[in-house]
Amino acid sequence: MKMLLDGQWVDRDEKIDVIDPFDNSVIDTVPSGNADDCETALKSAVKGFEITKKMTVYDRAQILFKAAAIISERLEEFATIIAREGSKTINEARTEASRCVNTMTASAEESKRILGETIPFDSFPGGEKRRGYYYRFPIGVVLAITPFNDPLNLVAHKIGPAFAAGNAVILKPATVTPLSAIKLVEAMVEAGMPPQAIQVITGYGSKIGDPMVSDERVRMISFTGGVEAGKHIASKAGIKKIGMELGSNSPVIVWKDADLDLAVDSCVSGSFWAAGQNCIGVQRLLVHKDIYNEFKTRFVERTKKYKIGDKMKEDTDMGPMITEGEAIRVEKWVNEAAQKGANVLCGGKRTGSLYEPTVLENLPPDVTIHCEEVFGPTVNLYQIDDLDEAIKEANSLPYGLLAGIFTSNIDVAFKASYDLDCGGVMINDSTDYRLDSMPFGGVKYSGLGREGLKFSLQELTEPKVVCFYLPNI
Ligand code: NAD
């Protein structure tokens, strides 16, 4: 596939192979963008913004609705690309493709609700005879940088609201999974998005990141990815807006009165969805001591039934990790925990990029797999005695995206929802739940700002005040 710069689909001699991590076959190539390509994208996006900012809301919404319809018609094609270039099974990929339709549709709908307010200027002395309001205007050129694990829908969460607000976008998709993103951009252009308003530049973040991140023509960086890249980007950005959706180490509390069938099913799925490469995947299960053994037995039994392997087979529950290198990293983290005293209750074996769904307990507090985001198919069990202890443990790490609690006691649910430090608390569900239009984001190292269409639109626009001084009234 090619990249889209200044309205042209272009290739380069230097290319990057896009590899199916299940069998290491090369499924396609993309050009490796360079500094000159960044300059072309930046110049063209500035012109693109001159077009988008003058478009009516109606026209922008119609294009987004049409793009949603195109994706909907070609859902299986999109799902197949997601599954081939990434880690997801074909069923997981279908879910993502359907969610992308929702994201584009809701972007179109929300474009019609970018509202302002009148301002009561006479609410303090000095404001007499002044009347006015504020409205929201688009911010300009938005640089969108996306990760590999949701290669379509997380790109839709950047392009959809950015264009809905009237901005131009330069998209830098994940180096390993650029194809779904390019297909989405093709759909946007087919639907009528002015080509200069959307540039897609493929390549290595380390090579093309800095020239774009530090450029003053970029007015906002909308980044989804890991904390390390996030810190680097923040250090290079200079004075511009930054939105960051980063990683986590998500905790779920299973209280003594939980519905265990529900908790087991939901947490197994939440731990191993997309082979655990999921920013809201369950990593820590804090289980009340009265039900710990029963929960553990059922959880491990259910995990052992997981069918792993070929992503394209309908009955596969879990596919490979994104690269063999990532699977080796997870293997090392599990081995480190086991050597320091953790019990590996099931899993713990690797074949190439496939890593078995793995359940650990008795983790020493200093092991990497307890402290850091694992981003792989492993989950840690901890026994807890009381709610304060569970909440303290849940809040003890420098992340806070989502948290969960299973309980039938409303007081327990309420207390947890207030005391857990994070961007959202799921009651009687694992952390692996996101509605695309809810405010989504985290605290601490999990991010800055919120996405979720209506909320993204606040970040992607600025209020402008208009004040009339009317001395003669
Ligand atoms: P990553 O940080 O390695 O890469 C993300 C993107 O940043 C890629 O496009 C990459 O090429 C680019 N990049 C890397 N270095 C860069 C640089 N110096 N300048 C500019 N761009 C650069 O992340 P990943 O491995 O693709 O994705 C996994 C991470 O993303 C996990 O930490 C996960 O939790 C996080 N994530 C967060 C959310 C969320 O909404 N909070 C959603 C999905 C994934």
Side-chain angles (χ1 to χ4, degrees):
M1 284 188 172
K2 297 179 179 171
M3 53 187 180
L4 181 62
L5 299 178
D6 197 23
Q8 306 293 320
W9 290 100
V10 296
D11 211 345
R12 291 286 169 261
D13 290 341
E14 202 181 323
K15 296 191 202 317
I16 298 171
D17 289 341
V18 182
I19 291 167
D20 180 333
F22 178 64
D23 57 11
N24 286 325
S25 58
V26 176
I27 47 177
D28 208 332
T29 61
V30 289
S32 175
N34 56 41
D36 290 344
D37 295 324
C38 295
E39 183 54 29
T40 307
L42 286 158
K43 267 196 192 133
S44 178
V46 169
K47 288 188 215 141
F49 179 53
E50 290 306 311
I51 302 169
T52 49
K53 74 178 184 191
K54 291 182 191 129
M55 288 175 77
T56 63
V57 169
Y58 178 78
D59 286 344
R60 295 199 303 260
Q62 289 303 104
I63 290 168
L64 287 160
F65 279 128
K66 191 162 174 205
I70 292 171
I71 301 157
S72 180
E73 276 161 24
R74 300 177 198 158
L75 211 67
E76 196 59 20
E77 200 185 317
F78 275 92
T80 304
I81 291 174
I82 294 170
R84 285 296 312 280
E85 71 172 339
S87 282
K88 285 187 173 171
T89 64
I90 187 68
N91 283 311
E92 290 171 334
R94 286 182 187 126
T95 303
E96 181 176 343
S98 304
R99 283 182 54 186
C100 176
V101 175
N102 299 346
T103 302
M104 299 308 272
T105 306
S107 297
E109 290 166 351
E110 288 298 338
S111 70
K112 303 192 174 197
R113 295 191 276 264
I114 307 173
L115 304 177
E117 282 180 322
T118 55
I119 300 170
F121 281 103
D122 58 356
S123 53
F124 282 104
E128 300 84 2
K129 296 185 183 291
R130 287 175 198 273
R131 301 282 185 275
Y133 59 92
Y134 74 84
Y135 72 96
R136 302 195 73 87
F137 66 96
I139 201 160
V141 174
V142 175
L143 172 63
I145 304 176
T146 52
F148 74 83
N149 61 308
D150 288 309
L152 181 68
N153 193 35
L154 290 179
V155 176
H157 268 285
K158 305 291 184 204
I159 302 178
F163 180 59
N167 296 299
V169 186
I170 301 174
L171 170 68
K172 204 297 255 179
T175 316
V176 284
T177 56
L179 305 181
S180 311
I182 294 172
K183 279 302 251 189
L184 178 61
V185 171
E186 280 176 7
M188 287 296 294
V189 173
E190 186 180 335
M193 185 164 179
Q196 287 178 320
I198 175 76
Q199 320 279 324
V200 53
I201 178 161
T202 49
Y204 298 104
S206 52
K207 190 164 147 192
I208 55 177
D210 287 1
M212 289 194 291
V213 164
S214 56
D215 196 283
E216 293 194 350
R217 285 165 288 185
V218 171
R219 296 317 310 143
M220 177 170 180
I221 299 168
S222 178
F223 174 73
T224 301
V227 176
E228 285 316 310
K231 281 184 183 166
H232 177 84
I233 287 168
S235 74
K236 296 281 171 191
I239 298 179
K240 54 177 65 86
K241 249 185 159 177
I242 306 183
M244 296 233 164
E245 299 284 341
L246 306 177
S248 196
N249 180 328
S250 302
V252 173
I253 299 169
V254 186
W255 194 242
K256 57 189 168 192
D257 56 11
D259 175 338
L260 282 195
D261 288 337
L262 177 67
V264 168
D265 271 4
S266 166
C267 292
V268 169
S269 160
S271 302
F272 305 123
W273 179 266
Q277 298 157 111
N278 176 6
C279 58
I280 48 177
V282 181
Q283 189 168 339
R284 287 175 293 152
L285 275 165
L286 310 167
V287 184
H288 193 274
K289 62 178 188 317
D290 293 357
I291 51 154
Y292 184 84
N293 285 332
E294 164 99 35
F295 179 85
K296 175 169 92 175
T297 307
R298 289 210 221 168
F299 193 90
V300 169
E301 252 171 38
R302 177 93 183 71
T303 301
K304 281 182 175 165
K305 290 195 185 123
Y306 247 53
K307 212 166 167 182
I308 65 169
D310 188 345
K311 294 171 288 178
M312 305 313 288
K313 286 196 174 150
E314 294 289 336
D315 62 347
T316 300
D317 294 310
M318 199 187 92
M321 294 199 62
I322 190 67
T323 58
E324 185 169 358
E326 276 297 280
I328 291 171
R329 174 186 61 77
V330 171
E331 183 180 41
K332 280 190 186 142
W333 287 19
V334 170
N335 291 346
E336 180 215 356
Q339 275 154 18
K340 290 189 177 167
N343 302 339
V344 181
L345 299 171
C346 65
K349 291 202 186 65
R350 181 182 68 78
T351 314
S353 55
L354 284 169
Y355 195 80
E356 288 178 356
T358 299
V359 186
L360 303 168
E361 68 170 358
N362 288 337
L363 287 110
D366 62 335
V367 295
T368 317
I369 209 161
H370 164 78
C371 310
E372 302 293 334
E373 177 186 41
V374 63
F375 222 60
T378 76
V379 63
N380 306 332
L381 301 188
Y382 307 82
Q383 189 166 309
I384 44 110
D385 292 354
D386 68 57
L387 191 57
D388 286 333
E389 180 199 346
I391 290 170
K392 192 170 164 210
E393 177 58 41
N395 291 342
S396 64
L397 297 178
Y399 298 99
L401 194 48
L402 298 186
I405 181 161
F406 287 85
T407 179
S408 47
N409 182 326
I410 194 159
D411 294 340
V412 169
F414 225 84
K415 181 175 164 58
S417 70
Y418 274 81
D419 291 351
L420 288 164
D421 294 336
C422 56
V425 179
M426 301 296 130
I427 318 285
N428 289 327
D429 209 341
S430 90
T431 42
D432 185 26
Y433 178 76
R434 176 182 185 184
L435 177 75
D436 288 291
S437 51
M438 77 186 199
F440 184 77
V443 300
K444 300 188 273 186
Y445 279 172
S446 289
L448 288 175
R450 293 290 179 270
E451 288 195 344
L453 297 331
K454 174 179 167 188
F455 305 91
S456 310
L457 284 169
Q458 293 293 305
E459 312 269 352
L460 289 157
T461 54
E462 298 281 20
K464 184 185 278 182
V465 172
V466 179
C467 178
F468 290 81
Y469 179 43
L470 304 159
N472 300 322
I473 60 167

